[in-house]
Amino acid sequence: MLRLHGVYRSRAARNIWLLEEIGVPYEHVPVVQRYRLTDEQAQVHPHTQTDAFKALSPAAAVPVLEDGDLVLSESMAINLHLARAYGGDLGPRDARELAQMEQWSFYALSGVEPLTLDVLYADQTTEAGRAQVAAGAEKLRRPLAVVDGALKATGWLVGGRLTVADINMAEVVRYAMPAPGLIAGFPAVAAWIGKLHARPAFQRMWHAREAEAL
Ligand SMILES: N[C@@H](CCC(=O)N[C@@H](CS)C(=O)NCC(=O)O)C(=O)O
């Protein structure tokens, strides 16, 4: 059976959402980031710095997927693999679609996620935090315009249907939602995020995330 390591409050969320969309059975191992634990908690919770976990992931980071003897430890690579191997139409129908799905996933990682993480991690109760969000929002206007433009034709990024490309990009864009008014300024992105977050598979992931103890 597929085994996915990583708590919901990590980049494992994008893998869990896709697994829920696919409907394939999987085991979830809630490995937590070590820096989020006290020494006492680290005695009892599986975490990223245990020897057992580092044997799977030398980078000591979640998520990790075990698919038989294949071990993958990059969240986007995990999703591209899951979509191709098990996802049917959530994955590519041909080499052209695969190239497009990879393009959007790599753009999400390199062109969008560093900026949206700046927004996510800012403490908006402080002036410095609010300034960080405002600066991040300003820098995000260009990549969000790119995504907005791509969504205008069909409402999806690749193939006129929901695919792994939408999930990979949407999970990264989600991190920018705390920036006041930012997403609303991009109507196609706002509509796309709305319909994606209403999906039962996303909702299952999200409710489990909210219920997560750590
Ligand atoms: N590029 C990697 C990033 C993985 C990553 O940084 N994971 C974080 C949690 S979201 C982590 O496990 N950090 C553990 C640590 O920094 O000790 C991916 O997308 O899979």
Side-chain angles (χ1 to χ4, degrees), residues 9-12 14 33-35 48-49 60-63 73-76 109 113 121:
R9 288 177 197 278
S10 77
R11 290 172 176 90
R14 61 192 64 159
Q33 300 93 325
R34 173 64 182 89
Y35 65 81
T48 49
Q49 293 290 340
V62 286
S73 58
E74 276 293 321
S75 59
M76 298 281 174
L109 265 188
E113 190 175 57
Y121 290 143

Side-chain angles (χ1 to χ4, degrees), residues 155-178:
W156 305 105
L157 289 175
V158 177
R161 63 185 193 279
L162 171 70
T163 71
V164 64
D166 298 291
I167 291 174
N168 283 351
M169 181 61 80
E171 273 300 272
V172 164
V173 168
R174 170 166 69 80
Y175 301 157
M177 291 178 74

Side-chain angles (χ1 to χ4, degrees), residues 109-154:
L109 265 188
S110 64
V112 186
E113 190 175 57
L115 301 173
T116 59
L117 282 175
D118 265 358
V119 171
L120 184 71
Y121 290 143
D123 175 2
Q124 293 201 55
T125 64
T126 67
E127 202 167 311
R130 288 191 293 277
Q132 186 176 325
V133 169
E138 202 45 49
K139 288 184 200 157
L140 274 162
R141 290 190 193 286
R142 194 165 66 167
L144 286 176
V146 171
V147 178
D148 203 67
L151 289 170
K152 276 188 178 129
T154 68

Side-chain angles (χ1 to χ4, degrees), residues 22-200:
I22 294 172
V24 69
Y26 65 98
E27 181 188 343
H28 179 217
V29 188
V31 175
V32 66
Q33 300 93 325
R34 173 64 182 89
Y35 65 81
R36 290 179 49 205
L37 298 177
T38 62
D39 289 347
E40 214 167 68
Q41 289 172 321
Q43 301 297 319
V44 291
H45 289 285
H47 63 76
T48 49
Q49 293 290 340
T50 63
D51 290 343
F53 184 71
K54 284 194 288 185
L56 274 181
S57 168
V62 286
V64 168
L65 177 76
E66 288 181 85
D67 182 358
D69 63 1
L70 173 66
V71 180
L72 292 174
S73 58
E74 276 293 321
S75 59
M76 298 281 174
I78 290 171
N79 268 2
L80 288 164
H81 167 68
L82 288 172
R84 285 179 83 178
Y86 306 103
D89 271 353
L90 290 163
R93 289 178 179 160
D94 54 31
R96 181 189 170 89
E97 284 195 356
L98 172 62
Q100 292 170 325
M101 290 174 193
E102 288 175 339
Q103 174 202 262
W104 284 114
S105 302
F106 299 159
Y107 187 50
L109 265 188
S110 64
V112 186
E113 190 175 57
L115 301 173
T116 59
L117 282 175
D118 265 358
V119 171
L120 184 71
Y121 290 143
D123 175 2
Q124 293 201 55
T125 64
T126 67
E127 202 167 311
R130 288 191 293 277
Q132 186 176 325
V133 169
E138 202 45 49
K139 288 184 200 157
L140 274 162
R141 290 190 193 286
R142 194 165 66 167
L144 286 176
V146 171
V147 178
D148 203 67
L151 289 170
K152 276 188 178 129
T154 68
W156 305 105
L157 289 175
V158 177
R161 63 185 193 279
L162 171 70
T163 71
V164 64
D166 298 291
I167 291 174
N168 283 351
M169 181 61 80
E171 273 300 272
V172 164
V173 168
R174 170 166 69 80
Y175 301 157
M177 291 178 74
L182 176 64
I183 302 296
F186 298 90
V189 173
W192 170 77
I193 284 283
K195 74 183 171 190
L196 286 169
H197 285 190
R199 295 185 65 81

